[in-house]
Amino acid sequence: MTIQWFPGHMAKARRQVTEKLSLIDVVIELADARVPAASRNPMIDEIISNKPRLLLLNKADLADPRITQQWLAHYEKQGVMAIAIDAASGQGLKAIISSCEILVKEKFDKMRSKGIKPRAIRALIVGIPNVGKSTLINKLARKNIAKTGDRPGVTQAQQWIKVGKEIELLDTPGILWPKFEDQLVGLRLATTGAIKDSIINLQEVMIYAIKYLREFYPNVLKDRYDMNEEVLFSEEVVDIFDHIGKKRGLLMSGGMIDYDKTSDLFLRELRAGKLGRLTFENPSMLEVTDEILEES
Ligand code: GDP
């Protein structure tokens, strides 16, 4: 479920994460590997302050593996510990435990030197809606403890979920908001399906996605929709809508192409990975993609 954020919601979400920080040793922050920057909270560094943090690029199964490597190298350079995972299938989950152990080593060594008995590492999962928090908690717990979907406003007693002997997770993740006042961030999130379709203009999202794809992944459109170069690089993006709509028989009465249905189908296919593994921003291309949008 996507939450519509208001200043009151943001303050509350922030407070809920801040309150839990004193209970935990490490923050596990989830981002979407297809949009690693757009899917992060703009105030995350300030919110988690100096708590050790592990950044997970989730849904790596849907992202371009080459670009995921670039992002991981980028974070390594920044001194942020990051790994790519696929919470749905469980790919990469073992590395979460070993990374958390590295992050808390200093603290736990100190505790041990003071004679405090070793205990499990306590962790909190945070991230924007739909990034995969519940899926990850369920997968780590190996049974359906966490409820899928977000339930703002429901207060519950703190519950810990054991992940092997090494980690204890707070059962309710911290839900944070993206930087949605930025138009490009909104389009990237909408392209990957993080923003509820009823509050966005699907045709606008499809135009953005098409311009991005023909710049960075032109073969994807050609192959999936059997498109020739003339249509693909037409100055009128509507030619691409017409081509896809016609190909899929998405017509209104009178034979006109139904652009709403076309964008709905196109985005559903893209989000489900049917066009291949795609990433919509990368560390060195961010300015380039900004230019593409400005030219439109
Ligand atoms: P939350 O709002 O952050 O708790 O997100 P959910 O756990 O409810 O996940 C949102 C959607 O993303 C669900 O449809 C999940 O099945 C899907 N999802 C979560 N993780 C992955 C992943 O690693 N790969 C893929 N392909 N889908 C995922």
Side-chain angles (χ1 to χ4, degrees), residues 93-240:
L93 299 202
K94 274 206 189 106
I96 296 178
I97 297 176
S98 50
S99 302
C100 285
E101 284 172 337
I102 295 169
L103 284 166
V104 302
K105 187 174 182 312
E106 202 179 317
K107 177 176 177 179
F108 275 44
D109 281 350
K110 243 184 229 160
M111 281 162 63
R112 235 171 269 128
S113 71
K114 284 185 193 157
I116 300 169
K117 237 173 81 184
R119 58 166 172 78
I121 299 166
R122 292 177 188 149
L124 170 68
I125 289 181
V126 303
I128 67 167
N130 289 318
V131 74
K133 298 179 294 300
S134 305
T135 307
L136 178 63
I137 293 174
N138 287 337
K139 208 72 186 181
L140 285 171
R142 300 221 175 100
K143 46 188 160 164
N144 286 347
I145 295 173
K147 294 173 194 79
T148 321
D150 306 302
R151 304 182 57 202
V154 180
T155 46
Q156 293 167 324
Q158 283 319 326
Q159 293 278 338
W160 296 92
I161 296 169
K162 281 201 181 332
V163 182
K165 285 199 188 86
E166 299 93 346
I167 295 192
E168 282 175 2
L169 274 183
L170 275 174
D171 71 335
T172 31
I175 304 164
L176 294 169
W177 62 95
K179 193 181 167 189
F180 48 68
E181 65 275 15
D182 179 326
Q183 197 207 359
L184 246 180
V185 168
L187 286 167
R188 286 181 180 138
L189 290 174
T191 300
T192 52
I195 292 176
K196 208 176 181 176
D197 283 348
S198 58
I199 57 168
I200 50 170
N201 180 332
L202 282 189
Q203 292 184 26
E204 209 180 301
V205 179
M206 177 165 166
I207 291 170
Y208 165 75
I210 280 176
K211 286 187 172 175
Y212 189 91
L213 291 176
R214 68 179 182 183
E215 179 80 14
F216 299 109
Y217 300 99
N219 289 334
V220 158
L221 288 172
K222 265 199 219 162
D223 295 347
R224 177 83 192 166
Y225 301 106
D226 203 8
M227 206 178 277
N228 64 29
E229 300 250 327
E230 198 187 329
V231 175
L232 180 63
F233 295 108
S234 166
E235 276 182 29
E236 306 290 338
V237 178
V238 72
D239 289 344
I240 295 184

Side-chain angles (χ1 to χ4, degrees), residues 14 29 40-51 53 78 80:
R14 185 183 177 139
E29 182 196 356
R40 293 180 76 190
N41 177 275
M43 296 161 84
I44 186 72
D45 290 345
E46 198 190 310
I47 292 173
I48 68 172
S49 170
N50 52 5
K51 275 282 165 199
R53 168 241 319 251
Q78 287 192 333
V80 174

Side-chain angles (χ1 to χ4, degrees), residues 63-99:
D64 180 339
R66 198 173 50 89
I67 313 291
T68 300
Q69 287 311 314
Q70 291 179 12
W71 279 107
L72 293 176
H74 166 81
Y75 290 124
E76 194 180 343
K77 231 187 271 165
Q78 287 192 333
V80 174
M81 194 179 285
I83 46 182
I85 66 155
D86 164 4
S89 79
Q91 191 81 24
L93 299 202
K94 274 206 189 106
I96 296 178
I97 297 176
S98 50
S99 302

